[in-house]
Amino acid sequence: MLSIVGTGNVAWSLAKAFHSKGVEIDYILARDTSAGKELADYIGTVFLPLEEADKVTSKVVLLCISDDALSNVSGEYEWPDETCIAHTSGPTSIKTLSIHDKCGVFYPLQSMNKNENPNFQKVPILLEASSPACLILLSDLAKIISDDVRTMDSKARLALHVAAVWANNFVNHLNAEAIELAEKHKVPFDLLKPLIQKTAEIALHGNSARSQTGPAIRGDESTMNKHLDFLDSRQSEIYRLLSSSIQKSNETEL
Amino acid sequence: MLSIVGTGNVAWSLAKAFHSKGVEIDYILARDTSAGKELADYIGTVFLPLEEADKVTSKVVLLCISDDALSNVSGEYEWPDETCIAHTSGPTSIKTLSIHDKCGVFYPLQSMNKNENPNFQKVPILLEASSPACLILLSDLAKIISDDVRTMDSKARLALHVAAVWANNFVNHLNAEAIELAEKHKVPFDLLKPLIQKTAEIALHGNSARSQTGPAIRGDESTMNKHLDFLDSRQSEIYRLLSSSIQKSNETEL
């Protein structure tokens, strides 16, 4: 039914998720033989070199590889015509795979780590396909691991991916800085936990814009100056830019 | 036992929290008579003009006012000598109130909104006082509304407040941007919810630094360029700076 190309966080997470649901994965394919065999062994299947892509018997191949590698891996090797080749990249258009008659996108909207056992049940999986038959194949697979399967075109998916970078990559970086600041100044990090929890709850209710608090939105310059004294030059630059952005957003709303 | 000065988010939230726990609030004091009476009426107590501060009979007065107003309000009016005067500001030193023999700090580490009914039970309340007697008074009050009451000196509290600005004010602003981006491009915002939830969980476990994902940490320039095409100039500036900061933090760790 399914083969997976890649050995990174997405390949490991999807392979483990399908394996745990009893889906047999025919092959793990990868450029790196050793890494490919490691994943194949982990889920009890066979490693196949990319040079032997024509031997794939699966109805679907998921390309869990970097955006830059996508067109090479899909174009340089000989894939069976009857296989639906899908990538798993949020920001990449389905057109990248248009060399294949049967192609698609299988994008799980979540931050993944190969060492975790992710629970995909509530993770949205966004699908796109070159044909209804291919879409049904991808949809059947997605529904095995997720309760939230939708179709979305490449343009909307790119917009969503940008928003996800803000809500995940950037927020995560700021949380990391907050944790580091607390540790550097020997303040127990766990004091921040109720604040982190509440900030997330406000976002989950879609209320972040109207719930903005703090010295920037109050225009409290003396507090902002006290804060800047605590920060190094990289942090100060972020502090100034985000404070200014908070103030500009507020002006727009008034 | 207790009087409260102010009519903003902190004054309302603390007044409601104490009121709901059955603590009698003797007076609400404020510069703005109308706003002061509104809060006093809400919790069924009496408004007292700041000019009559000498009539306060409470053991503790909580100054829930802006940092800039603190020294004026504590210094310009005549407070009874036996009253412990405490401010509720994270970044402000206890020294701001050193004109009073009995002074202190009563800082609830949470983002507050006057229209909410906050649950302070798990909110850390950080105390500092000029005397053991004043500390006991503040501690007795704090324990009525919170299970997490600690002492912390002004320097550590300022450091914590900086960290809180990152984890709350800045994260909240980025979440607001993500929600707005999704809405602008007509992508359902609820698709981001599992991501927001997971990002918070990672932070609550203190794992944000080692869980960073996304195009910046991968050095995926082509995706970053696709994203920048979606953003206006204010957003692009934030995108570039945070992406660069993510990359620098990663280099430091290697």
Side-chain angles (χ1 to χ4, degrees), chain A residues 180-193:
Chain A
E180 198 188 303
L181 274 167
E183 284 172 354
K184 182 180 169 191
H185 294 285
K186 304 199 183 341
V187 180
F189 149 67
D190 64 339
L191 283 166
L192 295 172
K193 289 183 179 179

Side-chain angles (χ1 to χ4, degrees), chain A residues 53-58 61 78-85 100:
Chain A
D54 61 317
K55 292 184 184 158
V56 166
T57 50
S58 315
V61 168
E78 286 198 28
W79 299 93
D81 288 340
E82 60 274 25
T83 298
C84 172
I85 310 278
H100 307 280

Side-chain angles (χ1 to χ4, degrees), chain A residues 111 161 173 198 234 245, chain B residues 111 161 173 198 227 234 245:
Chain A
S111 166
H161 193 258
H173 181 56
K198 185 171 180 190
R234 180 179 60 84
S245 179
Chain B
S111 165
H161 193 257
H173 181 56
K198 186 173 181 189
H227 287 166
R234 180 179 59 84
S245 180

Side-chain angles (χ1 to χ4, degrees), chain B residues 212-228:
Chain B
Q212 189 66 51
T213 60
I217 205 163
R218 286 199 308 270
D220 180 349
E221 297 287 340
S222 70
T223 296
M224 289 195 273
N225 287 332
K226 281 182 208 161
H227 287 166
L228 286 166

